[in-house]
Amino acid sequence: MAQSPENEHPQKAFGWAARDNSGTLSPFNFSRRDTGEDDVTIKILYCGVCHSDLHTAKNEWGVTSYPLVPGHEIVGAVTAVGNNVNKFKIGDKVGVGVMVDSCKKCSFCQEGLENYCRQIILTYNSLSRDGTRTYGGYSDIVVVDQNYVLRIPENMPLDAGAPLLCAGITVYSPMVYYGMNQPGKHLGVAGLGGLGHVAVKIGKAFGLKVTVISTSPKKESEAINRLGADSFVVSTDPAKVKAAMRTMDYIIDTIAAVHPLAPLLSLLNINGKLITVGLPQKPLELPVFPLAIGRKLIGGSNFGGIKETQEMLDFCAKHNITADIELIRIDEINQAMERLAKSDVRYRFVIDVGNSL
């Protein structure tokens, strides 16, 4: 007979969990494994609220197992290390992103692409090697293999740095892989939310001209004056779209809702690249004609591997890039989820776990 989450492991833990597809979160007692030889135990201080957390809590992707403790933008302090741990020590400020384990043997793992491993173990809503469920960062502690823990740079604020562990790497990885980081080129950022606002900052740090593409004209001033974008295009304004046609070398599409791709493709120059990372609930319609006549590419990207994620954190620290956040208490999470569903956040909620749990 399966044990209750509270009794599966020796270390007592506490968090907030969703029990059904209403997505409503409430206090939840569970447990974590003991600190193994290769493990790092972390007291969680902050955890970002990703749009994936909302999708998964409501089972909008049809893959959720309840009870669910979301959270994969985790920052905290090391409180214990196993005998084999040589990368971290007690007191270190560290992060945990979207994954906590993989097979370590396949070609992807060997190449630092653990995020594409077929045996990847996600930070939450996944099964550990022992068959027990993984629980995320809306909780007080977490135990993770040292090889999946990130070092937070000394000059990076822990709260505003937390969203980089998902939002940051999700936009950084495709920009590097697809060559969308060449100084002087023109990058379009579709959607100005949790992912999009970080993409603007990273794009500028790469030396790109950056244009924000949004359905909301009221975001123009903020995009340019606060985030540093060079220009702004309202995607629902035919005149604005026509004026910007064939001006962009790349577009990173961060929009998480169903939306048309044709207007975005029209903005790309010959040989342009449209890379989508927003993960809408339903399939998007792909117009092939503009791809063919413009020799354009459309692609996608997952988050990144551990090495690349550390590289991203160091890059962001060097360029003073963090997320723009709204700090909340854990007991405000349901209201935050409701606001997130309405895109009513500038630009990422972060739970002050250390002071509210």
Side-chain angles (χ1 to χ4, degrees):
M1 182 176 178
Q3 290 184 299
S4 69
E6 192 172 1
N7 296 315
E8 283 179 331
H9 300 292
Q11 293 200 72
K12 299 301 180 185
F14 180 71
W16 279 53
R19 269 72 168 196
D20 54 47
N21 64 7
S22 70
T24 301
L25 293 114
S26 57
F28 177 62
N29 289 294
F30 65 107
S31 54
R32 301 285 193 186
R33 69 176 184 261
D34 269 338
T35 308
E37 290 188 340
D38 297 303
D39 286 339
V40 175
T41 294
I42 302 162
K43 174 181 170 56
I44 299 174
L45 299 175
Y46 299 99
C47 186
V49 179
C50 179
H51 216 287
S52 298
D53 299 347
L54 176 61
H55 284 308
T56 311
K58 290 180 173 292
N59 196 26
E60 291 175 345
W61 291 332
V63 296
T64 304
S65 295
Y66 298 102
L68 174 90
V69 177
H72 57 208
E73 298 177 343
I74 301 168
V75 171
V78 175
T79 58
V81 297
N83 292 333
N84 294 340
V85 173
N86 52 25
K87 298 181 179 181
F88 305 98
K89 65 182 185 303
I90 292 173
D92 283 350
K93 300 302 187 293
V94 297
V96 178
V98 183
M99 60 184 164
V100 291
D101 206 351
S102 64
C103 78
K104 302 185 180 73
K105 300 175 182 178
C106 69
S107 61
F108 297 115
C109 288
Q110 294 298 311
E111 294 172 21
L113 298 170
E114 303 95 339
N115 52 309
Y116 294 107
C117 175
R118 292 184 180 181
Q119 297 180 44
I120 187 172
I121 297 175
L122 300 175
T123 303
Y124 69 86
N125 198 43
S126 199
L127 291 178
S128 300
R129 293 181 183 276
D130 63 5
T132 60
R133 191 171 298 158
T134 59
Y135 296 111
Y138 296 12
S139 58
D140 55 357
I141 64 168
V142 66
V143 182
V144 183
D145 183 312
Q146 66 170 333
N147 295 298
Y148 300 84
V149 177
L150 289 308
R151 185 175 301 279
I152 303 299
E154 287 187 11
N155 66 323
M156 180 172 284
L158 301 182
D159 52 359
L164 298 178
L165 293 162
C166 177
I169 188 58
T170 296
V171 296
Y172 179 91
S173 182
M175 290 171 74
V176 172
Y177 176 77
Y178 288 101
M180 299 161 60
N181 58 353
Q182 301 173 42
K185 295 290 189 178
H186 190 176
L187 171 72
V189 177
L192 193 62
L195 296 179
H197 90 286
V198 176
V200 171
K201 296 181 181 186
I202 290 177
K204 291 303 296 180
F206 279 139
L208 301 168
K209 176 183 178 182
V210 178
T211 295
V212 170
I213 307 159
S214 174
T215 59
S216 177
K218 64 184 180 181
K219 291 185 178 181
E220 180 171 2
S221 176
E222 192 157 345
I224 294 173
N225 298 324
R226 178 175 173 179
L227 299 175
D230 298 285
S231 57
F232 189 91
V233 172
V234 180
S235 59
T236 53
D237 185 331
K240 295 283 182 67
V241 172
K242 184 176 181 180
M245 284 179 64
R246 287 195 173 186
T247 63
M248 300 178 193
D249 300 294
Y250 332 114
I251 294 175
I252 186 162
D253 182 359
T254 71
I255 301 169
V258 174
H259 60 285
L261 294 177
L264 299 181
L265 290 170
S266 73
L267 300 175
L268 285 173
N269 205 342
I270 303 301
N271 300 322
K273 301 172 185 177
L274 170 62
I275 308 303
T276 180
V277 295
L279 302 181
Q281 289 175 244
K282 297 179 181 179
L284 303 182
E285 183 176 324
L286 176 62
V288 175
F289 195 71
L291 292 181
I293 64 171
R295 200 163 69 176
K296 300 171 185 178
L297 299 177
I298 186 165
S301 180
N302 199 350
F303 52 101
I306 295 299
K307 180 181 179 181
E308 187 176 46
T309 303
Q310 188 65 61
E311 175 187 291
M312 177 276 304
L313 289 172
D314 295 340
F315 176 88
C316 288
K318 178 181 178 180
H319 294 277
N320 295 312
I321 295 171
T322 57
D324 289 17
I325 66 167
E326 182 174 335
L327 200 61
I328 63 169
R329 293 176 54 83
I330 189 68
D331 56 14
E332 298 173 312
I333 185 58
N334 290 309
Q335 296 94 318
M337 287 291 198
E338 291 175 6
R339 287 179 54 194
L340 179 58
K342 300 174 185 175
S343 299
D344 177 23
V345 55
R346 296 291 180 273
Y347 283 94
R348 200 69 149 190
F349 288 117
V350 172
I351 304 168
D352 186 356
V353 176
N355 289 313
S356 63
L357 200 61

